[in-house]
Amino acid sequence: MMRSTFFLILLAVVDGAASIKNDTSNREKRDAVLIRSKRRWVLSTIDLEENMPGPYPSIVTQMYNDKKQENVKFRIRGQGVTEKPFGLFSIDENSGIVHVHRPIDREEYHFFHLDFDVLDKKTDDLVDKTLAFDVEIKDKNDNRPEFPLSTIRVSVPENTPEGVLQATLQAHDNDLKDTPNSEFTMSVVKQNPASPKFTIRDMPGTTRVKQLAFTGCFDYDKEKQYTVLVDAKDHGEPTMSSTATVILDITDYNTHPPEFSSATYNTEVMEMELKEILRIGITDKDTPNTPASRAVFSILKGNEELNYKIETDPKTNEGVLTVIKGKNFEKTEITELEIAVENEQKLFQCVDGKPVIGTRPKPNTAKVAVKVTDVNDPPVFKNQVEKVYRNENGPKGDVLFVPQVQDEDSDINKLRYELVEDPAKWVSLDRKTGKITTVETMDRESPFVKNGIYTLVVHSIDDGKPPATGTCTVLVYLGDLNDNAPYLISKNMVMCGNKVDRVDVTPRDLDSPPFANPFSFFLGGEEKLKSLWKLDPTTGTNTSLISLTSLPYGNYSIPLKIQDQQGLQSEDVLQVVVCECTRINTCRGRLPFSSRLGPAAIGLLFAGLLLMAFLLFCFYCDCKSMSCQHIPLNLQDEGIQTLSKYNEEGGRSIYKPEFPITDGYRKVENGMQGSSAGYGVQYNWQEISNSGGVMNMVSDRDKLL
């Protein structure tokens, strides 16, 4: 069984420049403190300086064991040996001396944990429990404070009050935290220009972030940019530092008040006229098209009745004075306005390096004299819109309206009136008094009446120069009477007998309630109609005409009676076509009186034409090959010629005339006889040619010709 007891192990921290054999006097020794863990002994931490100058490999410590040195060997494992970074530490398996092989950067690896084993040289078996020790890298000041950006650019408004700027400065030192090596101080090394003075202030709650501050004020007209060089220096040995440049771009603010181009202005306008009357220019030394130079105008005096307004033209920066509410004057008058101008931004001024603080200066002002010229005012109706109430179908000659008019500039007895709008020509107008009288019956159901209102427009014209005109609109509200009976919207209907047994009946009444629907429906005509048809429902806005039996297809005339809500009745006839439908409310149509040839008939027709052409061609060829002779007519030699009619049905003659045989002719006893209908020609002779022996058919008709 393996022994678990160790003797005290001596660890030594050795300067990297010393040798275990040659310079043991320079080796720094100390006793190792054994700490009991759950599974193994842990030795105290060994300190190793960051980035030792070497030479390498350099001795770190030496391990001892109570076993006989010649029978055991040493082994270490862990970070820097069997784990990243590989090859950093090693141990002499015979002597137990631990070496480091290269400099170690604490900012990359600041701590190592290693396991230490003692093995049998022959079997490689562990001869005792595993020990462990830690190597901690001691920091040295080898990192300077670093700014994230070497150049920092910030925009600063010209009116920024003295104190902290919205410009933060941040730096970081990678050396050991909370030690002099990583702590640093910032300061302003130099600046250009020299005024105002810039300093560095701490930011509450952090030591790594600072703020740039200044005392005094900025003047955009003098300096538009400042350059400040800031230094960050740590507290380590030796001291290390770095710098960053802060560029401050000063943006223009309103430091110059706007000024009017003139102290006084004059303009004029006709009374009651609404329009732009004046444009007022200004000058401003601040940057154009910025809030520092954009003008804001106001009217301080003379606009108590709010007749005027002044606005800024965004393109020209001018003040635009406009009349927005007319005023009636009996004579020409002059109104004086006081106009003020400021900028969108409040005025800021820096004098001798210090901001001006105190009461706000008064804005620049100018006087505007507005000459308002009196003009002829138009006649004014007591009411521009008059409402008149009448029932429709009233008597002619009814006086609808007599106007009441006032005119401050003219004699009302000299006014004249005109009827501008009377679309149905129902009224007349007295041109001297303006009295409106009906000349026709007013029908509420007329297309000129909208929503029960008939509109008239009247003008009153004075005798001024130029004449002025006043306008009045007369609205005649027409009350409804029951003067229209119901009627059918459609008098012709289609009933698809193969699909439905009814049609919809929809009436309409031009009157309004209570002189219109609901309607009452009745069948007219003879009583026998009621055995064929019925109406359902008999009251309502519409109904359905229903057939009570299967009707033959055809046309039907059904008399109907329709009453409105007040009992006013109309009689109408509904024409219903009962038919077989192919589509909705569409009867099947009759077949057209036409025919067409099918493919087979067309083929037979072409075959017949080709056969006829072939026969004609054969006949033509046959005639060309035969020699035709003319048979002279000699009544004395040939005997009696007979012309017989053979166009009766049957095509065969009952006669058989005999002729004597002369030279060149022979009677053919069994000759072919025939007739041609319509011509009565009999073919009963054959001529035998002496030369060729070819027989030609010769008709009696040919011989007679």
Side-chain angles (χ1 to χ4, degrees), residues 537-578:
T538 58
T539 59
T541 57
N542 54 21
T543 186
S544 294
L545 179 65
I546 305 172
S547 65
L548 300 177
T549 182
S550 179
L551 299 173
Y553 291 168
N555 299 328
Y556 295 84
S557 297
I558 297 92
L560 300 179
K561 297 179 181 180
I562 307 173
Q563 293 180 356
D564 62 19
Q565 190 174 358
Q566 303 301 323
L568 183 61
Q569 177 175 294
S570 67
E571 296 185 4
D572 219 330
V573 177
L574 181 66
Q575 304 293 334
V576 180
V577 177
V578 181

Side-chain angles (χ1 to χ4, degrees), residues 442-703:
M442 306 179 77
D443 184 6
R444 189 179 185 276
E445 288 71 45
S446 169
F448 300 107
V449 177
K450 306 298 182 183
N451 299 320
I453 301 173
Y454 184 66
T455 303
L456 302 169
V457 178
V458 179
H459 280 176
S460 176
I461 306 170
D462 63 19
D463 59 348
K465 295 183 180 179
T469 302
T471 302
C472 179
T473 301
V474 180
L475 302 178
V476 182
Y477 287 78
L478 293 175
D480 192 24
L481 298 177
N482 194 16
D483 58 341
N484 290 280
Y487 66 93
L488 293 176
I489 295 177
S490 176
K491 297 183 180 181
N492 297 284
M493 306 297 291
V494 173
M495 179 185 293
C496 297
N498 60 326
K499 296 182 179 181
V500 297
D501 63 347
R502 66 191 63 198
V503 293
D504 293 331
V505 179
T506 305
R508 177 178 294 174
D509 195 319
L510 296 178
D511 293 322
S512 299
F515 305 119
N517 58 52
F519 303 109
S520 298
F521 304 96
F522 308 93
L523 283 174
E526 301 176 358
E527 285 296 322
K528 66 178 182 180
L529 270 177
K530 297 180 180 179
S531 63
L532 300 177
W533 305 92
K534 76 171 183 176
L535 293 168
D536 187 30
T538 58
T539 59
T541 57
N542 54 21
T543 186
S544 294
L545 179 65
I546 305 172
S547 65
L548 300 177
T549 182
S550 179
L551 299 173
Y553 291 168
N555 299 328
Y556 295 84
S557 297
I558 297 92
L560 300 179
K561 297 179 181 180
I562 307 173
Q563 293 180 356
D564 62 19
Q565 190 174 358
Q566 303 301 323
L568 183 61
Q569 177 175 294
S570 67
E571 296 185 4
D572 219 330
V573 177
L574 181 66
Q575 304 293 334
V576 180
V577 177
V578 181
C579 64
E580 180 183 358
C581 295
T582 56
R583 295 190 302 272
I584 298 176
N585 295 334
T586 303
C587 296
R588 183 187 298 276
R590 297 176 59 185
L591 292 177
F593 294 100
S594 62
S595 61
R596 62 179 183 180
L597 296 177
I602 294 174
L604 291 174
L605 180 62
F606 275 102
L609 292 174
L610 290 175
L611 180 60
M612 181 179 294
F614 176 74
L615 292 176
L616 290 174
F617 178 74
C618 293
F619 181 75
Y620 172 76
C621 294
D622 187 52
C623 288
K624 293 291 286 183
S625 60
M626 294 181 181
S627 58
C628 299
Q629 295 182 1
H630 177 69
I631 303 175
L633 291 176
N634 191 337
L635 296 178
Q636 294 180 354
D637 297 336
E638 297 181 6
I640 299 171
Q641 299 288 334
T642 301
L643 180 61
S644 300
K645 180 179 180 182
Y646 295 109
N647 60 349
E648 285 84 357
E649 186 175 358
R652 188 173 180 85
S653 176
I654 59 175
Y655 299 103
K656 196 173 182 180
E658 297 291 338
F659 294 95
I661 300 175
T662 59
D663 294 340
Y665 290 91
R666 185 180 60 184
K667 181 180 179 181
V668 180
E669 294 180 349
N670 296 325
M672 187 186 342
Q673 292 183 356
S675 66
S676 175
Y679 291 101
V681 179
Q682 180 184 11
Y683 298 95
N684 54 4
W685 291 95
Q686 289 183 347
E687 179 182 358
I688 302 175
S689 174
N690 294 327
S691 60
V694 179
M695 294 185 296
N696 290 324
M697 301 290 294
V698 181
S699 68
D700 293 337
R701 176 172 175 264
D702 290 335
K703 291 180 180 180

Side-chain angles (χ1 to χ4, degrees), residues 94-136:
N94 296 318
S95 64
I97 297 175
V98 179
H99 293 87
V100 61
H101 291 268
R102 58 182 181 270
I104 302 174
D105 186 358
R106 195 206 67 84
E107 285 69 46
E108 187 175 3
Y109 300 100
H110 67 277
F111 187 85
F112 297 90
H113 181 80
L114 298 172
D115 292 332
F116 168 56
D117 293 320
V118 181
L119 296 87
D120 187 284
K121 283 187 177 181
K122 294 182 180 180
T123 63
D124 281 345
D125 293 333
L126 291 174
V127 297
D128 215 326
K129 290 185 177 180
T130 299
L131 290 176
F133 65 95
D134 297 329
V135 179
E136 183 177 355

Side-chain angles (χ1 to χ4, degrees), residues 180-238:
N181 292 342
S182 62
E183 295 175 351
F184 56 85
T185 302
M186 284 190 193
S187 61
V188 175
V189 178
K190 63 178 180 178
Q191 67 174 71
N192 182 37
S195 179
K197 189 69 175 178
F198 293 97
T199 58
I200 300 296
R201 294 186 185 179
D202 293 332
M203 194 169 189
T206 178
T207 60
R208 298 181 180 274
V209 181
K210 310 293 181 180
Q211 291 179 307
L212 187 64
F214 78 103
T215 56
C217 58
F218 298 107
D219 191 338
Y220 178 82
D221 295 330
K222 293 180 179 180
E223 300 294 342
K224 296 178 175 55
Q225 189 179 84
Y226 291 81
T227 302
V228 181
L229 184 64
V230 179
D231 174 73
K233 183 182 296 184
D234 65 23
H235 302 163
E237 292 293 338

Side-chain angles (χ1 to χ4, degrees), residues 215-468:
T215 56
C217 58
F218 298 107
D219 191 338
Y220 178 82
D221 295 330
K222 293 180 179 180
E223 300 294 342
K224 296 178 175 55
Q225 189 179 84
Y226 291 81
T227 302
V228 181
L229 184 64
V230 179
D231 174 73
K233 183 182 296 184
D234 65 23
H235 302 163
E237 292 293 338
T239 300
M240 303 187 75
S241 64
S242 63
T243 61
T245 301
V246 181
I247 299 175
L248 302 176
D249 294 315
I250 309 303
T251 58
D252 188 25
Y253 196 80
N254 181 26
T255 56
H256 300 281
E259 296 180 357
F260 285 101
S261 303
S262 175
T264 59
Y265 297 88
N266 295 282
T267 184
E268 63 181 50
V269 63
M270 307 298 287
E271 71 166 332
M272 304 304 293
E273 189 176 21
L274 308 180
K275 69 172 186 177
E276 174 189 320
I277 60 174
L278 182 64
R279 282 181 169 260
I280 304 173
I282 62 151
T283 58
D284 197 310
K285 296 179 181 179
D286 290 310
T287 304
N289 300 319
T290 65
S293 63
R294 281 195 285 267
V296 178
F297 295 89
S298 60
I299 303 176
L300 301 181
K301 296 179 182 179
N303 193 33
E304 288 74 15
E305 296 182 8
L306 303 178
N307 298 100
Y308 305 92
K309 75 172 182 179
I310 186 166
E311 297 177 317
T312 304
D313 187 325
K315 294 182 179 179
T316 64
N317 210 29
E318 294 176 312
V320 182
L321 184 62
T322 307
V323 180
I324 59 173
K325 185 173 72 172
K327 186 175 181 180
N328 190 7
F329 292 93
E330 294 302 323
K331 60 181 180 179
T332 300
E333 292 189 5
I334 295 178
T335 301
E336 188 174 89
L337 305 176
E338 185 177 359
I339 309 296
V341 64
E342 297 177 280
N343 292 122
E344 291 182 2
Q345 292 178 341
K346 293 181 180 180
L347 186 65
F348 171 81
Q349 291 179 313
C350 181
V351 179
D352 298 329
K354 293 184 178 181
V356 177
I357 301 175
T359 58
R360 184 177 178 184
K362 293 183 178 180
N364 195 2
T365 60
K367 303 290 185 179
V368 178
V370 182
K371 181 181 178 181
V372 183
T373 304
D374 183 34
V375 296
N376 180 31
D377 295 320
V380 178
F381 287 86
K382 181 179 180 181
N383 296 311
Q384 291 186 345
V385 177
E386 287 283 354
K387 297 180 180 179
V388 178
Y389 297 88
R390 295 289 190 276
N391 284 329
E392 66 172 332
N393 302 328
K396 300 178 183 180
D398 183 15
V399 177
L400 298 179
F401 172 66
V402 178
Q404 298 181 31
V405 182
Q406 293 181 350
D407 194 325
E408 296 180 356
D409 295 332
S410 302
D411 184 356
I412 60 173
N413 295 320
K414 296 182 179 180
L415 299 179
R416 58 187 176 89
Y417 297 88
E418 291 182 358
L419 186 61
V420 179
E421 186 174 332
D422 177 21
K425 309 301 181 185
W426 286 343
V427 301
S428 65
L429 176 75
D430 189 321
R431 293 178 60 85
K432 292 184 178 181
T433 63
K435 180 174 67 174
I436 299 177
T437 307
T438 60
V439 295
E440 297 290 343
T441 300
M442 306 179 77
D443 184 6
R444 189 179 185 276
E445 288 71 45
S446 169
F448 300 107
V449 177
K450 306 298 182 183
N451 299 320
I453 301 173
Y454 184 66
T455 303
L456 302 169
V457 178
V458 179
H459 280 176
S460 176
I461 306 170
D462 63 19
D463 59 348
K465 295 183 180 179

Side-chain angles (χ1 to χ4, degrees), residues 5-127:
T5 303
F6 268 93
F7 289 100
L8 183 65
I9 299 176
L10 180 64
L11 301 179
V13 179
V14 182
D15 191 307
S19 170
I20 189 63
K21 295 181 179 180
N22 301 326
D23 198 4
T24 58
S25 61
N26 295 330
R27 186 181 306 158
E28 189 178 293
K29 299 181 181 180
R30 65 182 175 178
D31 293 337
V33 179
L34 295 176
I35 303 172
R36 182 65 173 171
S37 68
K38 185 177 180 181
R39 294 186 179 181
R40 62 192 178 196
W41 296 93
V42 178
L43 303 177
S44 62
T45 301
I46 301 171
D47 294 333
L48 192 62
E49 185 180 353
E50 176 186 13
N51 291 324
M52 291 191 308
Y56 292 96
S58 179
I59 296 174
V60 176
T61 187
Q62 184 175 12
M63 301 296 181
Y64 293 93
N65 190 269
D66 59 349
K67 299 292 183 181
K68 293 183 179 181
Q69 294 292 114
E70 65 272 8
N71 296 328
V72 296
K73 61 180 180 180
F74 301 97
R75 182 181 70 185
I76 58 174
R77 52 190 170 86
Q79 290 178 288
V81 182
T82 58
E83 300 174 12
K84 291 182 179 180
F86 299 107
L88 184 59
F89 298 106
S90 67
I91 188 170
D92 188 309
E93 65 178 14
N94 296 318
S95 64
I97 297 175
V98 179
H99 293 87
V100 61
H101 291 268
R102 58 182 181 270
I104 302 174
D105 186 358
R106 195 206 67 84
E107 285 69 46
E108 187 175 3
Y109 300 100
H110 67 277
F111 187 85
F112 297 90
H113 181 80
L114 298 172
D115 292 332
F116 168 56
D117 293 320
V118 181
L119 296 87
D120 187 284
K121 283 187 177 181
K122 294 182 180 180
T123 63
D124 281 345
D125 293 333
L126 291 174
V127 297

